[in-house]
Amino acid sequence: MLAGAFIAIAVGAFHQPSGSAQVGAFVDDELLVKFVPGTPAHTVAAVHGQAGGRVIDEIPALGVQVVKVAPGQALQSLPLYQHNPNVKYAELNGIARALDDPFFPTQWGLHNTGQVGGTADADIDAPEAWGISSGSAVRIAVLDTGIKKSHEDITSSRVVAEQNFSSSATVDDVFGHGTHVAGIAAAATDNSIGMSGVAGGAILMNGKVLGDDGGGTYGSVANGIIWAADNGAKVINLSLGGTTSSTTLQDAVTYAWNKGVVLACAAGNNGNTQKFYPAAYSNCIAVAATDNRDQKASFSNYDSSWVDAAAPGVNIASSVPARTEVDTDNLGLVFITSAGGLEREARPLRYAEGTANSGIEASAVYAGLGDVSDFDSVNCTGKIALVQRGSNTFAAKVGNAKADGCVGVVIYNNDIGNFTGTLGGAGDWLPALSISKADGEDLVSRINAGLTTLKIVVKNNYAEWNGTSMATPHVAGAAALVWATCYGTSASSVRNRIESTADAISGTGSLWAHGRVNAFKAVKDCGSSPSPTATPNPTATPVATATPAPTGTPVPTPTATPALGNPNDMYVWNIYFTSVARNGNHKERITVVVQRDSDANGLTDSTDAVVAGAGVSLQVRNGGGTLIASYNGTTDTNGIFRSGWITPGAGTYIAEVTSLTHATYSWNKSLDPTSLDTDLDGDNLPDQSHTIPH
């Protein structure tokens, strides 16, 4: 078993406290902090100073800052923020993980005919759905360990946007999890290569939120969700998560849902009812995993109070980055072509030779235990050898077969079930696979009865894995199919079709709320809309009777107090730099805060209102006066304008506001704080200097 290989090590230092079922893993020197909207920048800075924190990143759409504290002090620093009245919330920066996804044969999840011992039609009816929708041009954002764009079943033309939110060097997939997920959701269909995705007409967005070790932070995941929602995703796949709840993560999910995005989220692989996040949030479709008999997978989390639907998640074949050597979870197929293409569940031996996509088809011979003497009694040239486990090593059996001219080897077990084997190391081997004792004995009988031909496939760029991670992209793909039909009018409509048309298999109502997803039922009957119900005539609104004017003592009109200022005067309240330094790369962003003299006292103070919609022009120069960058934009609802990121070298830099406009308010430069004149050039423009050390 390779289960341990997919237990991710979190990016950076993390902590797993006792009682982690309630708390979960988190970065031990980072917090996620959101201040009360309108909190002045100098107050924000003061709070950070008191708590010993510094901002290293931001999630602007949520108004959340990622704050670095002293090493190992996240738990100790947290109350300093939580108890401050200027802080809306503060929380630990939890660890999200690519799920632990074990392994096993071909795409029964899309079309189950009972192959390899399954129950016919225990699937999502994908081929039937393809007669109606391919999910054409619908954007599916896979937020994971990246996507291998060079994979033959995905290709770079299918990946229309990408962004790296992890601490890893590139957006490409090294770990493999994201490419597997992307293939299930949207691998190319009917292209004579590899596998079929649920939505072969969809296009992909690659948001790398987990690093090359399969782990990442909630802050990275939240940033990825915002990016996907802001860049046209209609579906977000989240085959990841953790046991710690997070307001930041929940707000990001809500943000995407409110922008019309359907989110499919893995329910987790702990085999219990413990909530897994973000799946447990109401705006996610939480997805459990089923096997090829429509039974709950043993590893899948469950609980109909928060798990919404189920989908195939056991023995799911999909794309992975090509490996240098074949491993036991790579794709291994054995077909009896002389018997109508019957498939037998198979596993490649580690280090075996791979095959082309078309595989190897040849006559089969039975060579006993695969000893030299067994091969002496048969002619294996150009044929596939069937041998039994036992007597000698797998390497010896395959070596003897190669020496005798065989083109492939199938080894059947000498005990119940299949097995996982290895050839011991890289070498000049043949394609070699294992099958169960029962399947092997059946093949021996067929060979003894007459001509038997086999087709074997061994592919190092496809693999069969298990997990709710694999179930979730079945739902994401189905959502893309629905978006491309008449039901694709809103995220609510798409989600309703997926959940309301799910097959009510065993466990519905107790293990999950809505059943196992059925893509065909979700997209069919678009042409037969129900007859609309007549709109009832509205009841007339009664005409109000005028209230008689009261008589009594007249109220005196107060004498107006002369204003010291003008509430329509706006000013630059603050300018500050935000620094991020990770993996040796340094970048800076400038924030400008705009307020107005709302209390008309002619003073700049923290009680003044912020100004949304103000036009800001900003220039950044180096110490020698050379223009480095210029930005134009408007302030958000918190009165904040942020520049793009710049990557300057060591030295002193000056950020200066050169223009400030608004439809209602006017810039009164005399109100700009005198502290915002660090260059002393007498131009009466507010600026702030910042020095980056060598």
Side-chain angles (χ1 to χ4, degrees):
M1 296 291 287
L2 294 179
F6 299 102
I7 299 289
I9 302 299
V11 173
F14 73 97
H15 179 63
Q16 184 78 41
S18 59
S20 60
Q22 288 74 39
V23 178
F26 59 90
V27 185
D28 70 358
D29 61 350
E30 291 182 15
L31 299 172
L32 299 174
V33 180
K34 180 171 183 174
F35 285 85
V36 174
T39 302
H42 73 280
T43 303
V44 171
V47 173
H48 287 316
Q50 292 166 2
R54 61 183 177 87
V55 178
I56 61 169
D57 205 352
E58 295 177 282
I59 308 173
L62 303 180
V64 172
Q65 298 176 336
V66 182
V67 177
K68 179 73 73 174
V69 296
Q73 294 299 303
L75 283 171
Q76 290 79 4
S77 299
L78 183 61
L80 301 178
Y81 286 98
Q82 290 177 327
H83 297 157
N84 191 296
N86 295 294
V87 174
K88 186 171 183 179
Y89 66 78
E91 58 189 9
L92 300 169
N93 194 6
I95 297 295
R97 304 168 183 266
L99 300 181
D100 172 15
D101 302 318
F103 48 87
F104 261 84
T106 30
Q107 292 181 281
W108 64 266
L110 305 187
H111 184 59
N112 194 341
T113 62
Q115 69 264 49
V116 291
T119 300
D121 208 35
D123 56 45
I124 69 169
D125 282 347
E128 295 89 334
W130 295 337
I132 300 171
S133 173
S134 67
S136 180
V138 174
R139 289 191 173 209
I140 301 175
V142 175
L143 305 184
D144 212 286
T145 60
I147 297 175
K148 189 71 172 179
K149 294 185 298 182
S150 60
H151 194 283
E152 62 187 7
D153 238 352
I154 294 174
T155 72
S156 58
S157 63
R158 303 282 310 287
V159 181
V160 298
E162 58 185 0
Q163 187 74 34
N164 185 5
F165 300 95
S166 77
S167 61
S168 297
T170 73
V171 74
D172 207 1
D173 185 15
V174 175
F175 192 69
H177 192 270
T179 303
H180 199 273
V181 167
I184 296 169
T189 300
D190 198 25
N191 63 344
S192 301
I193 296 174
M195 323 303 300
S196 295
V198 176
I203 53 181
L204 293 163
M205 298 173 65
N206 175 17
K208 184 166 181 173
V209 299
L210 303 178
D212 293 342
D213 56 4
T217 68
Y218 282 10
S220 297
V221 177
N223 261 323
I225 293 172
I226 300 300
W227 167 79
D230 285 346
N231 285 276
K234 303 305 291 182
V235 183
I236 294 176
N237 189 97
L238 291 160
S239 291
L240 49 75
T243 55
T244 303
S245 182
S246 162
T247 304
T248 300
L249 194 57
Q250 184 172 15
D251 284 353
V253 167
T254 301
Y255 179 92
W257 175 258
N258 289 341
K259 294 203 75 167
V261 182
V262 174
L263 298 96
C265 307
N269 296 342
N270 298 322
N272 57 35
T273 61
Q274 182 183 7
K275 288 185 176 180
F276 198 72
Y277 302 96
Y281 300 132
S282 61
N283 288 325
C284 279
I285 301 177
V287 185
T290 54
D291 63 17
N292 63 359
R293 294 181 176 86
D294 260 345
Q295 301 297 307
K296 183 187 79 67
S298 60
F299 53 78
S300 178
N301 285 5
Y302 59 92
D303 187 342
S304 61
S305 69
W306 65 274
V307 179
D308 299 298
V314 178
N315 303 350
I316 303 301
S318 187
S319 47
V320 294
R323 295 165 174 167
T324 304
E325 304 293 344
V326 169
D327 211 337
T328 54
D329 65 334
N330 277 130
L331 183 64
L333 304 175
V334 172
F335 299 97
I336 309 175
T337 52
S338 57
L342 287 177
E343 182 183 349
R344 294 296 182 249
E345 183 266 305
R347 302 175 191 169
L349 270 65
R350 190 174 189 190
Y351 302 113
E353 187 74 18
T355 69
N357 287 325
S358 57
I360 297 173
E361 186 171 358
S363 298
V365 296
Y366 176 53
L369 289 167
D371 293 332
V372 172
S373 58
D374 292 317
F375 282 105
D376 286 343
S377 62
V378 299
N379 176 15
C380 197
T381 302
K383 298 177 182 178
I384 297 172
L386 174 69
V387 300
Q388 185 180 11
R389 182 181 185 182
S391 176
N392 52 16
T393 66
F394 301 133
K397 296 176 190 291
V398 174
N400 293 338
K402 185 176 179 66
D404 203 53
C406 303
V407 294
V409 181
V410 176
I411 303 174
Y412 71 93
N413 204 359
N414 55 6
D415 200 354
I416 296 174
N418 201 344
F419 66 92
T420 299
T422 179
L423 296 176
D428 186 17
W429 304 110
L430 293 173
L433 305 100
S434 68
I435 60 174
S436 70
K437 179 181 180 182
D439 288 340
E441 291 174 344
D442 173 70
L443 273 179
V444 172
S445 297
R446 291 175 184 272
I447 292 170
N448 289 336
L451 179 66
T452 300
T453 57
L454 300 179
K455 178 180 178 179
I456 60 175
V457 178
V458 177
K459 291 292 292 178
N460 69 342
N461 59 340
Y462 294 88
E464 295 173 337
W465 293 348
N466 298 346
T468 56
S469 278
M470 283 63 257
T472 303
H474 283 85
V475 177
L481 297 180
V482 177
W483 268 116
T485 69
C486 67
Y487 302 115
T489 57
S490 67
S492 296
S493 174
V494 172
R495 178 173 182 171
N496 179 64
R497 285 299 298 178
I498 290 171
E499 294 179 343
S500 66
T501 60
D503 290 331
I505 62 173
S506 176
T508 301
S510 57
L511 303 179
W512 40 73
H514 298 287
R516 192 248 308 121
V517 168
N518 186 308
F520 174 56
K521 290 181 180 178
V523 299
K524 72 175 186 175
D525 297 333
C526 245
S528 55
S529 301
S531 301
T533 304
T535 303
N537 293 325
T539 304
T541 302
V543 178
T545 303
T547 302
T551 59
T553 306
V555 178
T557 302
T559 302
T561 302
L564 299 175
N566 186 337
N568 289 333
D569 284 350
M570 65 177 175
Y571 58 92
V572 176
W573 168 249
N574 200 3
I575 305 171
Y576 63 92
F577 285 72
T578 299
S579 304
V580 175
R582 288 181 176 174
N583 297 329
N585 297 316
H586 188 100
K587 59 182 181 179
E588 300 279 341
R589 171 190 279 169
I590 298 93
T591 299
V592 177
V593 184
V594 180
Q595 297 186 169
R596 65 183 179 90
D597 189 15
S598 54
D599 53 11
N601 64 0
L603 301 174
T604 57
D605 52 56
S606 60
T607 62
D608 282 343
V610 297
V611 177
V616 178
S617 294
L618 179 71
Q619 292 186 348
V620 184
R621 300 179 183 275
N622 63 19
T626 302
L627 182 66
I628 301 299
S630 60
Y631 301 95
N632 295 285
T634 57
T635 55
D636 61 18
T637 55
N638 294 317
I640 290 175
F641 165 74
R642 291 183 176 89
S643 73
W645 290 102
I646 59 175
T647 54
T652 298
Y653 296 87
I654 297 171
E656 185 172 68
V657 175
T658 59
S659 176
L660 186 63
T661 60
H662 194 274
T664 303
Y665 311 121
S666 300
W667 187 11
N668 185 343
K669 298 178 183 177
S670 67
L671 292 175
D672 298 334
T674 56
S675 59
L676 297 181
D677 186 16
T678 57
D679 61 2
L680 302 177
D681 60 2
D683 61 7
N684 201 29
L685 294 175
D687 59 70
Q688 184 66 273
S689 63
H690 178 63
T691 299
I692 301 171
H694 291 279

